[in-house]
């Protein structure tokens, strides 16, 4: 990609560290082992890139959402017990203090990284949406200042706000790339008021309510595998409730119906509203962003599931329940008023066929609850509307590379989270497989749909997502390096290994046609860097 004036920095991009993640009733030894592993690995990553640059340009570390897991973080209290604070401002402040104390090496390494002249940009995700609150950001800055004083990095105090930035929606470089977390395109995790992130309602997504309900009856989830409940549908939840003892069944049914009531209250209370150009200009000027990008983000934003009442009814399987009840009522009427066996058989056949046809139609229309297709479609919109060759998301924890056309590339950053039910097994697996088998990267090409110039952008047909998905890249602790030279931008996809060095998976040249420069080579990225 030709850059008349290349940026004066290079980028390190990663996502979904989920620091502080913990599931209900999790063993303390497992929690401590995972915390120690994350603290060691990410601090080593920061120390490495504090000392190694590319073409003597400073780094700009972009964390594309979910740096902290304020949704699942537990806080200790008396008798060595732990609890989950409320999902509000006070709870967020309490959890933030705890997490900064829990990961001392990471935050000291962040201070050292910034003191060396590098910058950190933190994009907020759905698991750390509270970082959008001004009071939480003030506490974050204050905690970093205290760490800087203890580390004798006094010069950082006056430049901290230039070195550390919070991005409520995205990070972008004009004509080069666009980076988001991706949850705004996931109907389970997005909210209506996402352009006003200082509001309490901006943190009330379907996933927030589901997690809150899970913690209210966490005793019943002690035997559930780590993150297993995250993939459950409503049917799986009710099946899990019926398997519990009567005491827990009563509690879980109360919590379930309370959550359903709150979802319908949100559905009634909130409707899709687009902010006026004047409001967008005010928000853009307050955050130092481009109003045009915010408007494009507003137009391609996926509505939450509770924004459409029928989608919410389908999500909760109430449409199927109503269909079964109506069918049973019709069958009962048919049997009671039957005058001949032939008429009864005819009516029952008609009711059965109608039931099957309606059930299949409802099942086919069931709202999408997986994020990947929505992310691909959103990436296509971005490349068309903003004219950038590279779009980067996180959120769905799948490290992948997907050409969107012959000029546009989509990358998902995967996750650094080793938060499994038995982290020791995962850590041992990583230890023995830290030089992964590299899979070829297929060159599936799709041509995005060009909107009709006579049609307004909001009414243009959404581009079709690629039907062929490439194999996921080998994932240990993935990240992306974006290096700017005089006239070229290179994208390096890499893993961070337990030897405290990066491991190159593939290098790519951003040009009029994205192409792999190096594929599947056992190459250490240290050759790309120069020690200061």
């Amino acid at each position: 990609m030709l850059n008349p004036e290349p940026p004066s920095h290079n980028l390190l991009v990663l996502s979904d560290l989920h620091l502080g993640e913990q599931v209900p009733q999790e063993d303390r030894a497992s929690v401590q082992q995972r915390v120690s592993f994350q603290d060691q690995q990410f601090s080593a990553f920061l120390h490495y890139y504090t000392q190694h640059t590319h073409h003597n340009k400073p780094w700009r570390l972009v964390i594309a959402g979910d740096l902290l897991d304020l949704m699942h973080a537990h806080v200790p209290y008396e008798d060595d017990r732990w609890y989950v604070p409320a999902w509000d401002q006070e709870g967020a402040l309490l959890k933030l203090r705890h997490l900064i104390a829990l990961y001392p090496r990471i935050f000291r390494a962040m201070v050292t990284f910034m003191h060396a002249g590098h910058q950190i940009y933190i994009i907020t995700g759905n698991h750390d949406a509270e970082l959008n609150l001004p009071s939480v950001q003030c506490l974050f800055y204050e905690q970093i200042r205290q760490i800087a004083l203890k580390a004798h990095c006094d010069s950082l105090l006056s430049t901290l706000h230039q070195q550390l930035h919070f991005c409520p929606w995205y990070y972008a470089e004009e004509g080069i790339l666009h980076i988001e977390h991706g949850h705004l395109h996931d109907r389970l995790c997005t909210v209506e008021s996402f352009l006003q992130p200082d509001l309490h309602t901006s943190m009330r997504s379907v996933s927030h309510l589901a997690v809150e309900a899970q913690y209210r009856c966490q005793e019943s989830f002690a035997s559930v595998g780590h993150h297993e409940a995250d993939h459950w549908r409503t049917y799986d939840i009710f099946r899990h409730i019926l398997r519990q003892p009567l005491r827990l069944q009563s509690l879980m049914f109360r919590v379930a119906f309370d959550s359903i009531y709150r979802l319908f209250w949100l559905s009634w209370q909130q409707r899709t509203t687009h902010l006026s150009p004047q409001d967008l200009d005010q928000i853009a000027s307050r955050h130092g962003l481009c109003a045009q990008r915010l408007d494009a983000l507003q137009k391609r934003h996926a509505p939450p599931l509770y924004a459409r009442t029928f989608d919410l009814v389908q999500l909760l399987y109430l449409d199927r329940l109503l269909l079964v009840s109506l069918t049973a009522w019709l069958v009962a009427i048919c049997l009671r008023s039957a005058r001949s066996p032939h008429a009864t058989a005819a009516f029952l056949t008609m009711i059965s066929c109608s039931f099957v046809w309606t059930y299949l139609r409802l099942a086919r229309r069931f709202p999408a609850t997986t994020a990947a297709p929505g992310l691909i479609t959103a990436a296509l919109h971005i490349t068309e509307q903003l004219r950038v060759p590279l779009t980067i998301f996180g959120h769905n924890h799948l490290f992948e590379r997907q050409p969107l056309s012959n000029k546009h590339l989509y990358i998902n950053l995967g996750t650094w989270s080793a938060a499994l039910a038995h982290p020791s097994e995962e850590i041992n697996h990583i230890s023995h497989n830290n030089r992964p088998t590299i899979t070829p990267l297929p060159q599936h090409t799709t041509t995005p749909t060009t909107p009709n110039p006579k049609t307004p952008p909001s009414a243009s047909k959404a581009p079709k997502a690629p039907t062929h998905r490439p194999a996921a890249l080998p994932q240990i602790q993935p990240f992306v390096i974006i290096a700017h030279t005089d006239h070229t931008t290179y994208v390096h996809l890499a893993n961070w290994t337990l030897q405290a060095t990066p491991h190159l998976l593939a290098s790519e040249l951003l040009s009029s046609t994205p192409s792999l420069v190096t594929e599947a080579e056992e190459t250490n990225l240290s050759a790309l860097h120069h020690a200061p």
Side-chain angles (χ1 to χ4, degrees):
M1 174 181 172
L2 297 179
N3 297 325
E5 295 183 4
S8 60
H9 58 268
N10 293 320
L11 294 177
L12 296 168
V13 191
L14 52 86
S15 181
D16 292 86
L17 278 83
H18 289 275
L19 301 180
E21 182 178 25
Q22 186 174 334
V23 296
Q25 305 291 320
E26 188 174 5
D27 179 68
R28 298 295 161 213
S30 298
V31 174
Q32 186 56 44
Q33 187 177 21
R34 181 170 63 252
V35 166
S36 177
F37 176 75
Q38 292 174 318
D39 202 24
Q40 175 187 358
Q41 290 298 301
F42 190 52
S43 62
F45 174 87
L46 291 172
H47 284 310
Y48 181 91
Y49 284 105
T50 299
Q51 300 171 3
H52 296 81
T53 60
H54 182 53
H55 286 283
N56 294 320
K57 290 185 177 181
W59 293 110
R60 183 172 286 185
L61 172 64
V62 180
I63 303 174
D66 289 353
L67 165 66
L68 307 176
D69 200 324
L70 300 178
M71 184 185 290
H72 291 99
H74 290 53
V75 173
Y77 70 110
E78 59 183 8
D79 299 331
D80 195 30
R81 291 183 292 179
W82 297 61
Y83 79 106
V84 181
W87 285 274
D88 55 16
Q89 178 173 291
E90 290 73 19
L93 296 173
L94 185 61
K95 286 183 278 191
L96 179 59
R97 290 191 184 94
H98 169 65
L99 293 183
I100 291 178
L102 193 63
Y103 294 93
R105 286 183 287 187
I106 285 180
F107 289 96
R108 282 199 302 267
M110 291 175 67
V111 166
T112 305
F113 183 82
M114 291 185 288
H115 186 250
H118 310 298
Q119 294 178 304
I120 298 178
Y121 283 71
I122 300 175
I123 303 173
T124 52
N126 57 307
H127 283 252
D128 55 7
E130 293 89 337
L131 288 177
N132 288 317
L133 301 176
S135 59
V136 177
Q137 293 183 9
C138 288
L139 177 62
F140 199 104
Y141 280 119
E142 181 59 32
Q143 293 288 317
I144 293 296
R145 287 191 186 94
Q146 294 180 12
I147 296 172
L149 285 173
K150 293 179 182 178
H152 306 290
C153 300
D154 298 348
S155 62
L156 180 62
L157 301 180
S158 60
T159 61
L160 182 58
H161 283 271
Q162 287 75 45
Q163 303 296 107
L164 176 63
H165 302 263
F166 290 95
C167 307
W169 304 290
Y170 64 85
Y171 172 89
E173 292 186 359
E174 195 66 33
I176 300 175
L177 58 84
H178 179 95
I179 304 174
E180 286 185 44
H181 179 57
H183 67 291
L184 296 179
H185 313 291
D186 181 354
R187 300 188 66 194
L188 283 173
C189 299
T190 189
V191 293
E192 285 294 340
S193 53
F194 73 98
L195 285 178
Q196 298 169 302
D198 54 332
L199 298 178
H200 175 65
T201 53
S202 68
M203 295 181 291
R204 309 312 292 169
S205 65
V206 175
S207 60
H208 267 93
L209 294 177
V211 171
E212 185 177 351
Q214 181 180 352
Y215 280 117
R216 286 172 63 186
C217 20
Q218 55 181 300
E219 183 181 349
S220 66
F221 288 90
S223 60
V224 177
H226 198 96
H227 288 304
E228 181 182 339
D230 293 347
H231 306 287
W232 284 358
R233 287 188 170 187
T234 309
Y235 168 77
D236 301 309
I237 295 174
F238 281 106
R239 185 176 61 177
H240 177 74
I241 292 176
L242 294 175
R243 292 177 176 176
Q244 302 303 312
L246 187 60
R247 175 180 60 85
L248 290 179
Q249 282 187 16
S250 175
L251 171 64
M252 295 180 74
F253 270 116
R254 290 199 305 270
V255 172
F257 283 112
D258 177 64
S259 300
I260 292 172
Y261 167 77
R262 294 170 68 185
L263 283 172
F264 276 105
W265 175 257
L266 285 173
S267 177
W268 176 81
Q269 192 179 36
Q270 299 193 25
R271 290 291 182 267
T272 302
T273 56
H274 290 278
L275 297 179
S276 65
Q278 294 77 14
D279 293 333
L280 285 176
D281 289 337
Q282 292 179 3
I283 295 174
S285 61
R286 185 164 64 246
H287 293 278
L289 301 174
C290 174
Q292 181 182 2
R293 282 184 177 269
L294 285 182
D295 186 47
L297 181 63
Q298 180 178 230
K299 288 176 180 177
R300 69 175 180 268
H301 164 248
L305 279 170
Y306 58 74
R308 298 171 183 170
T309 304
F310 187 70
D311 286 347
L312 182 57
V313 167
Q314 283 207 297
L315 177 69
L316 300 172
Y317 285 81
L318 298 180
D319 58 332
R320 251 66 60 93
L321 181 61
L322 179 62
L323 177 62
V324 170
S325 302
L326 179 60
T327 302
W329 178 70
L330 291 175
V331 169
I333 291 178
C334 178
L335 293 177
R336 290 190 60 181
S337 60
R339 297 185 178 181
S340 69
H342 296 289
T344 302
F347 276 115
L348 290 178
T349 301
M350 183 176 64
I351 292 172
S352 301
C353 292
S354 301
F355 171 82
V356 172
W357 182 84
T358 307
Y359 188 92
L360 293 177
R361 287 292 299 270
L362 292 174
R364 190 179 299 115
R365 194 197 175 281
F366 191 84
T369 55
T370 56
L375 296 184
I376 294 288
T377 302
L380 285 168
H381 276 294
I382 291 168
T383 56
E384 288 184 349
Q385 296 177 9
L386 303 180
R387 302 182 183 278
V388 290
L390 178 61
T391 304
I392 300 178
F393 286 156
H395 185 58
N396 70 350
H397 294 193
L398 179 63
F399 190 33
E400 63 178 339
R401 167 194 176 275
Q402 171 72 65
L404 300 177
S405 71
N406 60 350
K407 294 183 179 180
H408 303 109
L409 179 67
Y410 163 72
I411 294 175
N412 194 289
L413 295 166
T415 178
W416 274 51
S417 175
L420 302 177
H422 304 287
S424 59
E425 296 179 6
E426 176 69 10
I427 293 169
N428 291 334
H429 174 75
I430 293 174
S431 302
H432 291 95
N433 297 275
N434 54 66
R435 300 177 69 81
T437 302
I438 311 299
T439 56
L441 302 178
Q443 296 281 350
H444 295 306
T445 303
T446 58
T447 303
T449 303
T450 303
N452 188 340
K454 299 181 180 179
T455 306
S458 59
S460 61
K461 186 178 180 181
K464 186 178 180 181
T467 55
H468 299 286
R469 298 290 301 280
L473 294 168
Q475 176 171 320
I476 297 178
Q477 295 172 105
F479 66 102
V480 171
I481 298 173
I482 299 171
H484 303 292
T485 61
D486 291 340
H487 301 291
T488 311
T489 296
Y490 287 95
V491 180
H492 306 289
L493 286 74
N495 275 327
W496 182 251
T497 70
L498 295 186
Q499 282 74 29
T501 56
H503 177 80
L504 181 64
L505 296 176
S507 294
E508 186 147 17
L509 172 66
L510 278 189
S511 61
S512 59
T513 303
S515 59
L516 289 175
V517 176
T518 304
E519 180 181 333
E521 293 185 347
E522 298 261 341
T523 306
N524 192 295
L525 281 179
S526 59
L528 298 172
H529 310 312
H530 309 282

